[in-house]
Amino acid sequence: MSVRAPIHTPYDGSSKLFTIGLKPLDPGRWIEVDEHLKSYLAEKRRRYAEIPDRVFVEEEGTREAQREVLDLLDAHLLANFPEIYRRSSSGIEVIGATEGIGGPVGGSSDAPLVAASLLVQEDLILMRRDESGWRLVAGSLCFPSSWSLIEKFGRPLQQIHAPVPGFGPATRFADLINRMFDGLQGQAVERYNWSIQADDTLYHPLSNIERIDRATNRPTRFPDGDVNAHAFIRVERQTLRKLPVSRDILFTIRIHLDPLKVLAHHPDRAALAASFAAQILTLDAAQLDYKGLTADRDKLAESLKIMARGNDESLS
């Protein structure tokens, strides 16, 4: 992955963990495209070819909404990135990208959401309202951040968020999120989430059973103790927008991965590292378990404090 300065730094205190933190989104900034576009798309094609049923799901009756997503993306990408996308006989395409998806997609390679997902670096999740609430009815999730698309498929928001401390059924945050989804109209919104992982893998699933086991055993992610050598910051940029025709909600998730050590070369490294360390140290036991940081919190916080002080040790 890239070693340039991180594009997004929500750990500066602007997007605290385990809060909702939705903010209005400029429509022109809906989708992010960078120099890693083709490598992200290649990775999506590989996942579609190797594990199609784990990265794409759909309910019957969602194809029209999926097509609506594809049409919105087509218009947005051509208008905002004409140097990267062009119109072709089959729709639009990434200039210079490999054709095809590299294999069948669970028998649904003709699904519009699959076509849409192979244009952008974002994962795409479609939510629909019924008597049980807002349910996950279709999704392309090639880059999961410690969750399983199969396990969440068909479930309402309060069940999807059940493992998240403070966001499960009957909590204040669960009710608030449902009301926000209901009230979402033409204005798109965005939020950020972040975590730490021990490699630069984009595909990072975790089942509920694995999550329970991790919380119970609390394994370290850095057995040799060298946080700087192995830690990567995983930032999720999430957007929500209500589709104008179907009234379904499209949830996009864009993953940014940066080695922790790049912060040492950031012009605001002292403030960033200090804020990062402070937030990690304020997480309670349940939150640390959820993030898989229980065993590594102190090592990570100490590394960040050294970085904040400007000690050359943080550059090693």
Side-chain angles (χ1 to χ4, degrees):
M1 303 303 295
S2 172
V3 294
R4 55 166 166 68
I7 295 174
H8 301 296
T9 57
Y11 36 85
D12 61 4
S14 60
S15 298
K16 294 183 179 180
L17 294 177
F18 302 101
T19 61
I20 296 175
L22 289 174
K23 300 174 183 178
L25 172 64
D26 177 355
R29 294 180 51 250
W30 176 36
I31 298 298
E32 291 187 337
V33 179
D34 64 20
E35 69 273 20
H36 300 297
L37 173 63
K38 292 179 182 178
S39 65
Y40 273 56
L41 298 186
E43 177 67 6
K44 285 188 177 187
R45 294 186 187 99
R46 186 166 76 86
R47 297 298 173 184
Y48 279 142
E50 295 178 356
I51 50 171
D53 294 330
R54 297 183 191 178
V55 297
F56 178 74
V57 294
E58 63 174 341
E59 286 188 1
E60 290 186 11
T62 62
R63 286 289 178 98
E64 288 188 10
Q66 292 183 46
R67 169 57 63 179
E68 189 177 2
V69 171
L70 179 58
D71 289 345
L72 285 172
L73 273 176
D74 283 357
H76 177 84
L77 297 174
L78 286 173
N80 290 277
F81 306 101
E83 73 284 3
I84 297 174
Y85 297 91
R86 66 187 175 195
R87 191 171 297 281
S88 70
S89 59
S90 58
I92 73 166
E93 62 185 13
V94 179
I95 298 171
T98 304
E99 295 294 334
I101 61 172
V105 185
S108 302
S109 58
D110 61 338
L113 203 62
V114 170
S117 75
L118 290 171
L119 293 173
V120 295
Q121 288 159 269
E122 283 81 355
D123 282 324
L124 307 172
I125 304 294
L126 199 62
M127 307 293 294
R128 176 167 292 177
R129 187 76 157 92
D130 65 15
E131 65 279 359
S132 66
W134 288 93
R135 294 190 308 108
L136 196 166
V137 295
S140 167
L141 185 73
C142 293
F143 310 136
S145 296
S146 298
W147 62 287
S148 164
L149 180 63
I150 295 172
E151 290 183 356
K152 306 299 185 183
F153 181 41
R155 296 188 177 188
L157 279 172
Q158 59 268 26
Q159 292 182 18
I160 289 174
H161 291 144
V164 185
F167 283 76
T171 62
R172 181 177 67 87
F173 278 145
D175 293 339
L176 184 57
I177 291 173
N178 270 298
R179 291 200 298 270
M180 287 180 174
F181 270 55
D182 287 339
L184 193 63
Q185 298 301 326
Q187 175 65 62
V189 294
E190 68 176 347
R191 70 181 297 272
Y192 291 86
N193 194 12
W194 49 269
S195 57
I196 296 290
Q197 64 185 57
D199 54 39
D200 62 353
T201 304
L202 285 166
Y203 181 70
H204 205 268
L206 190 70
S207 71
N208 285 337
I209 293 175
E210 290 170 324
R211 184 179 297 284
I212 292 170
D213 179 69
R214 188 178 72 178
T216 301
N217 295 311
R218 296 179 172 87
T220 178
R221 298 186 184 184
F222 314 104
D224 64 359
D226 193 346
V227 173
N228 280 326
H230 305 296
F232 281 77
I233 309 168
R234 186 182 184 98
V235 170
E236 300 171 62
R237 176 183 181 262
Q238 305 170 356
T239 78
L240 292 166
R241 64 181 297 178
K242 188 164 284 186
L243 302 179
V245 178
S246 67
R247 309 304 290 167
D248 292 341
I249 287 179
L250 178 65
F251 176 43
T252 75
I253 311 164
R254 170 71 156 85
I255 302 300
H256 295 267
L257 277 174
D258 295 289
L260 178 69
K261 59 188 177 184
V262 303
L263 290 186
H265 304 282
H266 196 285
D268 297 322
R269 76 173 185 182
L272 284 175
S275 174
F276 206 152
Q279 291 181 69
I280 290 171
L281 291 171
T282 62
L283 297 178
D284 64 29
Q287 293 168 339
L288 287 168
D289 279 346
Y290 179 80
K291 286 293 184 181
L293 290 174
T294 302
D296 298 308
R297 181 195 65 176
D298 293 342
K299 287 184 290 186
L300 181 59
E302 182 60 26
S303 180
L304 289 165
K305 287 178 180 178
I306 291 171
M307 194 181 296
R309 293 196 296 266
N311 192 312
D312 288 341
E313 183 182 345
S314 68
L315 304 178
S316 60

